[in-house]
Amino acid sequence: MATIRLPAVTLLVLVVATPAWAYVGPGAGLSLLGAFVALLSAIVAAVAFLVLWPLRMRRARRARTRAGDIERATEQGRVNPDGSS
């Protein structure tokens, strides 16, 4: 008898209960908006990082190449040590 009573009462409560039209106050709404803005900002920053990474590496490689060219030219006596010709 007890095994039938619990599911019956549960079903009765679910069927008879009316939906609660809850009020979402300004604090909860602003918290949700702030979380959404933070999530969107994180996604934009991640995409920007992925797009800009190859460009930064190319720029760094080019700077290392130029520094090596100046160093080799200085060793060969073609350029002054301060980089001027």
Side-chain angles (χ1 to χ4, degrees):
M1 182 74 174
T3 59
I4 295 175
R5 187 183 305 178
L6 182 61
V9 170
T10 304
L11 183 64
L12 182 66
V13 168
L14 290 176
V15 169
V16 174
T18 59
W21 299 101
Y23 169 72
V24 177
L30 286 176
S31 296
L32 180 65
L33 184 63
F36 180 71
V37 167
L39 179 66
L40 186 63
S41 299
I43 291 171
V44 168
V47 169
F49 179 77
L50 290 174
V51 168
L52 293 177
W53 180 260
L55 299 175
R56 291 177 55 211
M57 290 298 103
R58 182 183 300 165
R59 183 176 174 195
R61 187 178 301 129
R62 191 175 297 159
R64 282 194 309 265
T65 303
R66 286 183 185 151
D69 289 345
I70 291 173
E71 185 176 319
R72 280 191 297 273
T74 303
E75 290 171 358
Q76 295 172 0
R78 292 184 292 151
V79 177
N80 294 331
D82 62 358
S84 62
S85 23

